[in-house]
């Protein structure tokens, strides 16, 4: 089955409300989409939301790459060779994870629609559903509690609280959350590289009896060695995120037991194939998987959900990246009930273009 058209486009989407993390405040997101049309009319859709601060690529660069001769020369290629095309993509666009992800996701969607099966069935579904965490940005204590109340009323059971600007305020926020909500809500922390090792130890000691589920990327990329001096009780709760860009880093950190948890984002590792490479390293070294996202379309969030549920060592998901978009270009793809995300099992990724 031949590819007859390849069409990229760029779309800026506003968020329903801005939020703050340790190094930025976000009000909107510029997403890149890619449509791959087959000769029987099937359209595979991919999307990218590259984070320049993490991978060194922005959406304008991704869009430009998707207009290149290599992409246009996909016309005439057989969709059954989609894995070879993904391999070639990684050779042509090395270290450009956003570009790789858009192509990888679109090809998976088109190929599995051609087979008339879901992507998760292509790889084999290991997990039926998990509850996602929802994100609370950096804000004061009262605002944090109000956000938590709103999320609890919507049925969510897990909070991921952004921290990293002031460790004392961070500690106060977690103490108050636990006081108010008791054990009704699970709490995860994402410091976005905002802590020194002393900050991390201070935070851990102050909150270790408050049942914090995990601490995501506390230290700067390049400073991971500072974690080596910590006890195993701390490291097993630390999730590598910005540090974990591909399988090479996954092997490096596994050998040193730097992180007890790996956060995989399709936008960091270049799509499903890159994600499966990291997941395989983690599975063979006893590391749990935590699937994350940027602000993203339902397209790539659904893609992440499919690959997450195909991995037996997936333990956590944080796939709320489409919830705060004021608009999107597709709908469905997954269902959400009481915070649990479930795949709809339609061909490809199962979303519908609006």
């Amino acid at each position: 089955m031949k590819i007859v058209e390849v069409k990229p486009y760029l779309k800026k989407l506003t968020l329903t409300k801005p939020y703050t993390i340790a190094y930025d405040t976000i009000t909107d997101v510029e997403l890149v989409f890619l449509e791959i049309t087959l000769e029987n009319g099937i359209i595979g859709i991919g999307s990218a939301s590259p984070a320049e601060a993490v991978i060194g690529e922005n959406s304008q660069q991704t869009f430009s790459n998707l207009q290149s001769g290599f992409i246009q020369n996909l016309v005439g290629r057989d969709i059954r060779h989609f894995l070879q095309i993904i391999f070639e993509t990684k050779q042509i666009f090395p270290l450009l994870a956003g570009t790789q992800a858009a192509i990888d996701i679109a090809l998976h969607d088109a190929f599995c629609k051609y087979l008339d099966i879901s992507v998760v069935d292509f790889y084999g579904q290991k997990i039926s559903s998990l509850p996602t965490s929802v994100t609370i940005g950096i804000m004061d204590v009262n605002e944090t509690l109000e956000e938590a109340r709103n999320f609890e009323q919507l049925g969510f059971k897990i909070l991921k609280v952004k921290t990293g600007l002031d460790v004392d305020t961070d500690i106060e926020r977690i103490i108050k959350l636990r006081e108010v909500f008791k054990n009704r809500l699970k709490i995860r922390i994402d410091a976005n590289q905002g802590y020194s090792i002393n900050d991390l130890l201070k935070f851990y000691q102050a909150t270790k009896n408050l049942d914090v589920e995990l601490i995501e990327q506390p230290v700067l990329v390049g400073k991971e060695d500072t974690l080596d001096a910590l006890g195993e009780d701390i490291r097993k709760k630390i999730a590598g995120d910005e540090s974990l860009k591909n399988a090479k880093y996954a092997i490096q950190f596994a050998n040193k037991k730097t992180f007890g948890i790996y956060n995989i984002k399709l936008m960091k590792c270049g799509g499903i194939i890159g994600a499966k490479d990291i997941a395989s390293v983690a599975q063979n070294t006893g590391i749990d998987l935590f699937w994350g996202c940027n602000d993203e379309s339902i397209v790539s969030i659904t893609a992440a959900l499919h690959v997450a549920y195909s991995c037996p060592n997936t333990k956590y998901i944080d796939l709320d990246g489409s919830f705060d978009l004021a608009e999107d270009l597709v709908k469905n793809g997954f269902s959400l009930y009481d915070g649990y995300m479930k795949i709809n099992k339609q061909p490809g990724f199962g979303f519908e273009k609006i």
Side-chain angles (χ1 to χ4, degrees):
M1 182 63 62
K2 299 292 179 63
I3 297 171
V4 297
E5 185 180 15
V6 182
K7 183 173 68 174
Y9 47 99
L10 194 64
K11 183 77 172 177
K12 180 170 281 190
L13 304 176
T14 57
L15 302 180
T16 54
K17 56 186 175 183
Y19 66 90
T20 298
I21 61 177
Y23 53 79
D24 202 4
T25 296
I26 295 95
T27 59
D28 57 40
V29 59
E30 192 170 53
L31 303 183
V32 187
F33 293 87
L34 178 67
E35 292 186 4
I36 294 177
T37 304
L38 307 184
E39 57 187 324
N40 64 354
I42 284 173
I43 299 176
I45 304 176
S47 179
S49 177
E52 186 172 13
V54 178
I55 63 169
E57 178 185 2
N58 60 43
S59 56
Q60 294 286 341
Q61 292 169 315
T62 302
F63 181 57
S64 177
N65 293 336
L66 296 180
Q67 294 173 300
S68 67
F70 171 78
I71 303 302
Q72 295 308 313
N73 287 335
L74 296 183
V75 172
R77 299 284 296 270
D78 194 321
I79 191 61
R80 293 175 298 179
H81 301 159
F82 85 105
L83 288 174
Q84 175 63 24
I85 296 171
I86 292 172
F87 172 80
E88 293 171 13
T89 297
K90 292 181 181 295
Q91 309 310 303
I92 299 297
F93 302 108
L95 306 179
L96 295 171
T99 301
Q100 294 175 15
I103 298 167
D104 173 293
I105 293 168
L107 287 168
H108 272 90
D109 191 37
F111 177 71
C112 287
K113 284 176 178 173
Y114 165 71
L115 292 184
D116 197 32
I117 63 171
S118 67
V119 173
V120 76
D121 281 337
F122 176 73
Y123 285 108
Q125 185 163 0
K126 313 300 188 304
I127 293 167
S128 59
S129 67
L130 284 171
T132 184
S133 48
V134 283
T135 303
I136 295 179
I138 294 176
M139 56 186 66
D140 67 29
V141 173
N142 290 332
E143 291 173 317
T144 298
L145 294 174
E146 184 61 26
E147 283 279 274
R149 289 188 190 96
N150 292 337
F151 283 134
E152 185 181 37
Q153 289 173 2
L154 292 171
F156 293 103
K157 305 294 192 298
I158 310 172
L159 305 177
K160 189 174 89 166
V161 182
K162 294 286 188 177
T163 64
L165 285 184
D166 181 83
V167 67
D168 292 318
T169 301
D170 296 339
I171 292 167
E172 183 184 4
R173 293 168 73 206
I174 303 310
I175 289 172
K176 289 295 184 182
L177 281 169
R178 189 55 75 210
E179 282 181 0
V180 172
F181 295 96
K182 311 300 182 188
N183 293 318
R184 300 200 306 272
L185 297 175
K186 291 183 178 179
I187 299 173
R188 300 169 182 170
I189 300 301
D190 185 3
N192 284 117
Q193 309 179 67
Y195 286 159
S196 67
I197 197 68
N198 289 333
D199 288 336
L200 173 59
L201 285 168
K202 183 176 185 178
F203 179 87
Y204 178 77
Q205 291 298 327
T207 63
K208 65 180 181 180
N209 295 322
L210 298 179
D211 197 24
V212 172
E213 193 170 31
L214 59 84
I215 302 172
E216 188 177 346
Q217 192 69 41
V219 299
L220 286 169
V221 172
K223 296 291 186 180
E224 297 88 359
D225 286 352
T226 62
L227 300 173
D228 294 346
L230 301 179
E232 186 178 349
D233 58 330
I234 304 180
R235 279 185 288 144
K236 71 181 181 181
K237 297 183 70 168
I238 296 177
D241 180 8
E242 288 92 342
S243 296
L244 189 72
K245 296 180 176 67
N246 54 43
K248 173 184 173 183
Y249 289 96
I251 294 169
Q252 173 187 323
F253 295 133
N255 287 338
K256 299 183 69 175
K257 298 183 179 179
T258 305
F259 301 111
I261 304 162
Y262 281 173
N263 180 299
I264 300 179
K265 291 187 173 82
L266 300 191
M267 298 305 129
K268 284 186 306 184
C269 63
I272 287 175
I273 298 302
K276 294 289 278 186
D277 288 344
I278 295 173
S280 180
V281 172
Q283 183 179 351
N284 285 287
T285 52
I287 295 171
D288 293 327
L289 297 182
F290 178 28
W291 296 81
C293 59
N294 302 329
D295 293 310
E296 300 180 28
S297 167
I298 288 170
V299 170
S300 51
I301 294 296
T302 305
L305 199 61
H306 277 245
V307 67
Y309 287 176
S310 76
C311 297
N313 52 327
T314 292
K315 188 172 182 180
Y316 316 97
I317 61 172
D318 177 49
L319 295 174
D320 61 341
S322 64
F323 298 170
D324 290 334
L325 294 183
E327 56 180 327
D328 206 331
L329 274 66
V330 302
K331 60 181 180 179
N332 300 328
F334 58 84
S335 60
L336 180 68
Y337 182 75
D338 274 349
Y340 280 77
M341 299 180 77
K342 190 169 184 178
I343 294 169
N344 68 24
K345 301 295 286 286
Q346 296 301 307
F349 292 117
F351 44 66
E352 304 168 42
K353 191 173 180 180
I354 297 174

